[in-house]
PDB file of all heavy atoms in Angstrom:
ATOM      1  N   LYS R 141      -8.521  -5.615  31.646  1.00  0.00           N
ATOM      2  CA  LYS R 141      -9.699  -5.298  32.440  1.00  0.00           C
ATOM      3  C   LYS R 141     -10.993  -5.180  31.584  1.00  0.00           C
ATOM      4  O   LYS R 141     -12.080  -5.484  32.061  1.00  0.00           O
ATOM      5  CB  LYS R 141      -9.521  -3.986  33.213  1.00  0.00           C
ATOM      6  CG  LYS R 141      -8.519  -4.081  34.286  1.00  0.00           C
ATOM      7  CD  LYS R 141      -8.928  -5.028  35.406  1.00  0.00           C
ATOM      8  CE  LYS R 141      -7.811  -5.315  36.345  1.00  0.00           C
ATOM      9  NZ  LYS R 141      -7.903  -6.582  37.062  1.00  0.00           N
ATOM     10  N   THR R 142     -10.846  -4.622  30.382  1.00  0.00           N
ATOM     11  CA  THR R 142     -11.997  -4.413  29.513  1.00  0.00           C
ATOM     12  C   THR R 142     -11.692  -4.695  28.068  1.00  0.00           C
ATOM     13  O   THR R 142     -10.610  -4.296  27.592  1.00  0.00           O
ATOM     14  CB  THR R 142     -12.491  -2.945  29.642  1.00  0.00           C
ATOM     15  OG1 THR R 142     -12.686  -2.596  30.994  1.00  0.00           O
ATOM     16  CG2 THR R 142     -13.814  -2.749  28.874  1.00  0.00           C
ATOM     17  N   VAL R 143     -12.621  -5.400  27.396  1.00  0.00           N
ATOM     18  CA  VAL R 143     -12.438  -5.629  25.967  1.00  0.00           C
ATOM     19  C   VAL R 143     -13.684  -5.057  25.266  1.00  0.00           C
ATOM     20  O   VAL R 143     -14.808  -5.288  25.664  1.00  0.00           O
ATOM     21  CB  VAL R 143     -12.334  -7.147  25.654  1.00  0.00           C
ATOM     22  CG1 VAL R 143     -12.427  -7.398  24.166  1.00  0.00           C
ATOM     23  CG2 VAL R 143     -10.972  -7.648  26.153  1.00  0.00           C
ATOM     24  N   PHE R 144     -13.404  -4.275  24.217  1.00  0.00           N
ATOM     25  CA  PHE R 144     -14.472  -3.702  23.408  1.00  0.00           C
ATOM     26  C   PHE R 144     -14.775  -4.666  22.293  1.00  0.00           C
ATOM     27  O   PHE R 144     -13.887  -5.127  21.546  1.00  0.00           O
ATOM     28  CB  PHE R 144     -13.941  -2.358  22.836  1.00  0.00           C
ATOM     29  CG  PHE R 144     -14.903  -1.626  21.911  1.00  0.00           C
ATOM     30  CD1 PHE R 144     -15.518  -0.461  22.327  1.00  0.00           C
ATOM     31  CD2 PHE R 144     -15.203  -2.095  20.633  1.00  0.00           C
ATOM     32  CE1 PHE R 144     -16.401   0.224  21.507  1.00  0.00           C
ATOM     33  CE2 PHE R 144     -16.047  -1.427  19.808  1.00  0.00           C
ATOM     34  CZ  PHE R 144     -16.672  -0.253  20.230  1.00  0.00           C
ATOM     35  N   LEU R 145     -16.052  -5.053  22.154  1.00  0.00           N
ATOM     36  CA  LEU R 145     -16.500  -5.944  21.086  1.00  0.00           C
ATOM     37  C   LEU R 145     -17.513  -5.289  20.203  1.00  0.00           C
ATOM     38  O   LEU R 145     -18.523  -4.734  20.708  1.00  0.00           O
ATOM     39  CB  LEU R 145     -17.115  -7.218  21.681  1.00  0.00           C
ATOM     40  CG  LEU R 145     -16.238  -8.231  22.402  1.00  0.00           C
ATOM     41  CD1 LEU R 145     -17.118  -9.389  22.917  1.00  0.00           C
ATOM     42  CD2 LEU R 145     -15.115  -8.733  21.534  1.00  0.00           C
ATOM     43  N   GLY R 146     -17.330  -5.355  18.927  1.00  0.00           N
ATOM     44  CA  GLY R 146     -18.364  -4.883  17.974  1.00  0.00           C
ATOM     45  C   GLY R 146     -19.418  -5.951  17.783  1.00  0.00           C
ATOM     46  O   GLY R 146     -19.224  -6.845  16.947  1.00  0.00           O
ATOM     47  N   ILE R 147     -20.448  -5.906  18.570  1.00  0.00           N
ATOM     48  CA  ILE R 147     -21.524  -6.975  18.487  1.00  0.00           C
ATOM     49  C   ILE R 147     -22.495  -6.619  17.355  1.00  0.00           C
ATOM     50  O   ILE R 147     -23.016  -7.489  16.696  1.00  0.00           O
ATOM     51  CB  ILE R 147     -22.204  -7.053  19.850  1.00  0.00           C
ATOM     52  CG1 ILE R 147     -21.181  -7.532  20.896  1.00  0.00           C
ATOM     53  CG2 ILE R 147     -23.391  -8.022  19.782  1.00  0.00           C
ATOM     54  CD1 ILE R 147     -21.647  -7.486  22.361  1.00  0.00           C
ATOM     55  N   GLU R 148     -22.775  -5.354  17.219  1.00  0.00           N
ATOM     56  CA  GLU R 148     -23.516  -4.755  16.096  1.00  0.00           C
ATOM     57  C   GLU R 148     -25.016  -5.025  16.059  1.00  0.00           C
ATOM     58  O   GLU R 148     -25.800  -4.121  16.142  1.00  0.00           O
ATOM     59  CB  GLU R 148     -22.930  -5.099  14.739  1.00  0.00           C
ATOM     60  CG  GLU R 148     -21.411  -5.198  14.632  1.00  0.00           C
ATOM     61  CD  GLU R 148     -20.652  -3.949  15.044  1.00  0.00           C
ATOM     62  OE1 GLU R 148     -21.224  -3.039  15.586  1.00  0.00           O
ATOM     63  OE2 GLU R 148     -19.412  -3.899  14.889  1.00  0.00           O
ATOM     64  N   SER R 149     -25.441  -6.302  15.889  1.00  0.00           N
ATOM     65  CA  SER R 149     -26.883  -6.497  15.626  1.00  0.00           C
ATOM     66  C   SER R 149     -27.313  -7.915  15.955  1.00  0.00           C
ATOM     67  O   SER R 149     -26.526  -8.844  15.934  1.00  0.00           O
ATOM     68  CB  SER R 149     -27.133  -6.246  14.135  1.00  0.00           C
ATOM     69  OG  SER R 149     -28.479  -6.499  13.819  1.00  0.00           O
ATOM     70  N   ALA R 150     -28.625  -8.042  16.263  1.00  0.00           N
ATOM     71  CA  ALA R 150     -29.210  -9.387  16.482  1.00  0.00           C
ATOM     72  C   ALA R 150     -29.643 -10.009  15.177  1.00  0.00           C
ATOM     73  O   ALA R 150     -30.022 -11.179  15.151  1.00  0.00           O
ATOM     74  CB  ALA R 150     -30.393  -9.262  17.420  1.00  0.00           C
ATOM     75  N   ASP R 151     -29.543  -9.223  14.083  1.00  0.00           N
ATOM     76  CA  ASP R 151     -30.118  -9.694  12.835  1.00  0.00           C
ATOM     77  C   ASP R 151     -29.039 -10.286  11.928  1.00  0.00           C
ATOM     78  O   ASP R 151     -28.082  -9.570  11.565  1.00  0.00           O
ATOM     79  CB  ASP R 151     -30.794  -8.480  12.162  1.00  0.00           C
ATOM     80  CG  ASP R 151     -31.504  -8.878  10.879  1.00  0.00           C
ATOM     81  OD1 ASP R 151     -32.529  -9.592  10.988  1.00  0.00           O
ATOM     82  OD2 ASP R 151     -31.007  -8.551   9.800  1.00  0.00           O
ATOM     83  N   ASP R 152     -29.184 -11.536  11.534  1.00  0.00           N
ATOM     84  CA  ASP R 152     -28.166 -12.213  10.718  1.00  0.00           C
ATOM     85  C   ASP R 152     -27.937 -11.512   9.407  1.00  0.00           C
ATOM     86  O   ASP R 152     -26.815 -11.408   8.912  1.00  0.00           O
ATOM     87  CB  ASP R 152     -28.540 -13.667  10.492  1.00  0.00           C
ATOM     88  CG  ASP R 152     -28.370 -14.519  11.731  1.00  0.00           C
ATOM     89  OD1 ASP R 152     -27.599 -14.062  12.600  1.00  0.00           O
ATOM     90  OD2 ASP R 152     -28.954 -15.583  11.843  1.00  0.00           O
ATOM     91  N   GLU R 153     -29.034 -11.056   8.801  1.00  0.00           N
ATOM     92  CA  GLU R 153     -28.929 -10.373   7.514  1.00  0.00           C
ATOM     93  C   GLU R 153     -28.097  -9.089   7.646  1.00  0.00           C
ATOM     94  O   GLU R 153     -27.245  -8.785   6.800  1.00  0.00           O
ATOM     95  CB  GLU R 153     -30.339 -10.062   7.002  1.00  0.00           C
ATOM     96  CG  GLU R 153     -30.414  -9.562   5.571  1.00  0.00           C
ATOM     97  CD  GLU R 153     -29.818 -10.510   4.550  1.00  0.00           C
ATOM     98  OE1 GLU R 153     -29.896 -11.718   4.772  1.00  0.00           O
ATOM     99  OE2 GLU R 153     -29.221  -9.994   3.577  1.00  0.00           O
ATOM    100  N   SER R 154     -28.319  -8.369   8.736  1.00  0.00           N
ATOM    101  CA  SER R 154     -27.566  -7.138   8.975  1.00  0.00           C
ATOM    102  C   SER R 154     -26.073  -7.477   9.160  1.00  0.00           C
ATOM    103  O   SER R 154     -25.209  -6.796   8.595  1.00  0.00           O
ATOM    104  CB  SER R 154     -28.052  -6.412  10.236  1.00  0.00           C
ATOM    105  OG  SER R 154     -29.374  -6.034  10.107  1.00  0.00           O
TER     106      SER R 154
END
Side-chain angles (χ1 to χ4, degrees):
K141 292 295 170 205
T142 307
V143 169
F144 179 109
L145 290 180
I147 296 171
E148 323 304 8
S149 177
D151 185 69
D152 286 340
E153 188 58 33
S154 299

